[in-house]
Every structure is written in structure tokens, then in C-alpha cells.
Amino acid sequence: MIDKKGLKKSVSPGGKNGKAQPKDGKKEVTEEVKKSLGSLFGKVSGKDQLELEIDRLNSHIVELEIDMKTMEGQLAKKEILARDSVAARQEAESRLNQELVKMQTLSHELETLRVEAPEKIKFRGIETLSPSAMEAYFSKLSSFRTPGEDLLTVYLPPGTALSDVLSEKILSYLDEETRALLDRLNPETGLVLFHDIHRMVSEAVVPSIPIMTSAWYFKDHFETSALEGNQEAECRILILLLHAGESFVGFAPDRLAFDAEELVRSSVKEKHSKGGFSQRRFERLREEDIAHHLAKVMETVNKILEENAPVDCVIMSGEPQLLREVEKRLPLDIEVIEKSMDLKLEKISGDEVMRSVLSCRRYLL
């Protein structure tokens, strides 16, 4: 057969359709073998991929297991730390509670000591200084000197506390015992404190005439000029020593002597110790006697006030009942000072009364 190009074209034995006819079935067998081999090689290749994937997953599992063990170790450490932290916190709370209990106990003991201290602590000494003795006292006190400013002087008017005048820093130079003793005094005329921070000198003076101005000084000597001026100041004084049945009334224009004095006497029954109706009747009669005596005293007082006006202050001592009644009846513009004095009027002169009334009290702290 010749194609369009003039070439001779071979004709296959298969006939018109050009398909090669298998010779004894060999060609079909060959194709099937090829397909079987291809399928076999494909299966082998897929298994390798699965094995590789399994190996990869196994490796990942191992990594995860390692990570998990690491995290378990870290978690175990954290749990130990947490337990230790809880134990430490509990121990700290226990110690804190113990310290709080100890602090409360100590605070209670301190408060108890502060309450009981005034009863247990005593003054090293107490003495009365007459006007002439005060002059010698000023001379000795003024001569005391120190190299540094170690000497504290404090002037406290009546009703004034140390904390009202001194700062916490200055108060720290005074120990608790000294402060407790000063608080116990609380005199009607105020006081002056002389205190060496080395405690060579520590005492308080209660003057006869009230301290009017608060002040404090830290110097190389004690500041006594204000107290000396207080003792020397001119003052027109009415002095009353009040006792049921016997009272003293005296006026002094200065601190030297009385211009007018009178001892007022009247009959007042002694106290009754029996009970019942007799005692009630006796007490009523005694009260009437006291009222009569009080009227005589006030009559004398009003007369002296009228004749010697003006009067700067009244210094009183005696029985509380009479002191209260007389104070109610005195003019409101006169300063009243109460002092504790144990004087036997029947055995004492006017000069002795003056000396006792104008004396100062010295307390060794």
C-alpha cells in the first residue's frame, strides 16, 4: 500500500482496521504483567510513606512525652514551693499572732504600772521653805552650773500639764517616774521644775503665789528669776484659816506683816458617834452652830474687805465644808487660792501664820 507521500505502507496482518492481532496471546500477557508490577511498586511506595508518617508521629509522641515529663517536674516543684509557701505563711501568721499577744500583754502590764506607779513611787523628800529659807535656796540653786545646756527649768501655771508646754523631744529628757510624781502634785499655785538631765538635781517648787505664765528654758544654769520675782511681788492678801468654832482672818498689804487680824471663836458641838434619833438631833444642832460660826467669820471678812480694798487674792486653808461656803460668799473678782496647812490656831501668832502661808513647798523627785 502506497501513502500520499509515495511511500509503501505495510499492511498489518490484522486486516482493514490496522490493529495488530496478538500472536498466540503473548502481547496481552505482557500488558497484564506490567500492570501487576506497577500496582506492586505503587503498593510498596505507599507503605514506605505510611512507615515514615508513623515514625514521624512516634517521634512527635516522644517529644510530647518528654515535654509532659518536664512540665510534670515543673508542676511538682511548684507544688512543693506552694506547700512551702503555705507553711511559711502559716508560720509567719503564727509568729505574728504570738507577737500581737505579747504586745497586748506588755501594753496591759505597762498600763497597770502607770496606774500603780503613783502609789508606789515616792518623793525623795518634801520640805517647807519659809520666805527667808527661799532666799538661801535661790542663792544655792543659781550657783549651779554645767559645761553644756543641760539644765531644764519649767514654769507651769495652775492646771497646766507638762505636755501643754514641752515638746515630745524635751519631754524625753524626763523619765516616767519623774513625770508621774509631777502629775501627782497638781497644786493650786502651779509649780516650777528644776531638772538636770544627768539627775544631779531634780526637784519641784510649789510657790505661795500662783505662777501666771508658762515657760521653759534649757541653759547652763537654772532660770530662777521669774520665781524670785513671784516671791517678791507686792500682793495685798486676805488670809483665812477656817475651822468649826475657831477661824483666823487676817489682811496683809505686803508679805511682811498683817495690818488687820482677828481670831473668830464660837461654840460648836463636837462630832457625835451615837446612832438613832439622838445622833440626828445632835447633827442638826451642830450644823446650826457651824452656820452661826460661818456668819461671824463672814461678818469679819466683809468688814476687812471694806476697810482694805482692793484685795488681790485670798489664801484659804481649813475644813472643806467651810471653804466651800466661804468661797461662795466672796466677791467674784478676787482670786482664791487653797493651801493645805496644819496649824493650831490657839498656839500660833500672826507672824507664824504669815510665814506658814507664804512658805513654798519643795519636792525632791
Side-chain angles (χ1 to χ4, degrees), residues 77-257:
K77 290 181 180 179
K78 288 182 179 181
E79 288 177 350
I80 293 172
L81 290 174
R83 286 196 299 271
D84 292 343
S85 176
V86 170
R89 186 183 66 185
Q90 290 175 345
E91 183 179 358
E93 290 177 349
S94 176
R95 289 181 180 178
L96 177 61
N97 290 333
Q98 291 175 2
E99 293 300 322
L100 288 174
V101 171
K102 185 184 297 184
M103 184 180 69
Q104 291 173 353
T105 302
L106 291 175
S107 297
H108 177 70
E109 291 176 355
L110 178 60
E111 188 63 29
T112 302
L113 288 174
R114 284 177 176 173
V115 172
E116 295 177 351
E119 302 300 327
K120 295 182 178 180
I121 299 173
K122 296 182 179 180
F123 295 102
R124 292 187 293 114
I126 301 174
E127 65 175 322
T128 300
L129 300 177
S130 65
S132 59
M134 282 298 296
E135 293 179 8
Y137 176 74
F138 285 136
S139 177
K140 293 178 181 179
L141 199 61
S142 300
S143 65
F144 193 81
R145 291 287 191 276
T146 60
E149 296 183 344
D150 299 332
L151 304 182
L152 174 65
T153 307
V154 185
Y155 285 79
L156 296 178
T160 305
L162 282 171
S163 57
D164 297 333
V165 178
L166 302 179
S167 65
E168 285 296 327
K169 181 179 180 180
I170 303 301
L171 279 173
S172 66
Y173 291 106
L174 301 174
D175 54 71
E176 288 287 339
E177 181 176 326
T178 299
R179 294 170 65 175
L181 289 172
L182 290 173
D183 290 340
R184 189 193 299 181
L185 289 177
N186 192 27
E188 289 286 335
T189 55
L191 62 84
V192 184
L193 170 66
F194 301 106
H195 182 78
D196 171 22
I197 63 174
H198 305 294
R199 289 195 63 83
M200 293 183 66
V201 176
S202 185
E203 55 194 69
V205 172
V206 176
S208 56
I209 303 300
I211 301 294
M212 303 306 296
T213 305
S214 62
W216 66 273
Y217 309 90
F218 238 141
K219 297 184 177 182
D220 62 351
H221 63 278
F222 289 119
E223 186 58 61
T224 62
S225 57
L227 181 57
E228 292 182 71
N230 175 279
Q231 291 299 110
E232 296 171 357
E234 294 185 0
C235 186
R236 298 170 64 83
I237 307 171
L238 177 66
I239 296 175
L240 305 177
L241 306 178
L242 305 172
H243 299 278
E246 190 173 52
S247 297
F248 176 88
V249 181
F251 168 75
D254 50 37
R255 297 168 182 262
L256 301 176

Side-chain angles (χ1 to χ4, degrees), residues 241-249 263-268 286-300 319 322 326 329 345:
L241 306 178
L242 305 172
H243 299 278
E246 190 173 52
S247 297
F248 176 88
V249 181
L263 189 61
V264 180
R265 288 190 172 96
S266 59
S267 177
V268 175
R286 174 177 166 80
E287 291 297 326
E288 291 176 359
D289 290 344
I290 292 175
H292 175 69
H293 177 74
L294 185 60
K296 291 179 65 175
V297 170
M298 288 309 304
E299 182 181 350
T300 304
E319 298 176 13
L322 295 177
V326 169
R329 305 180 191 192
L345 296 181

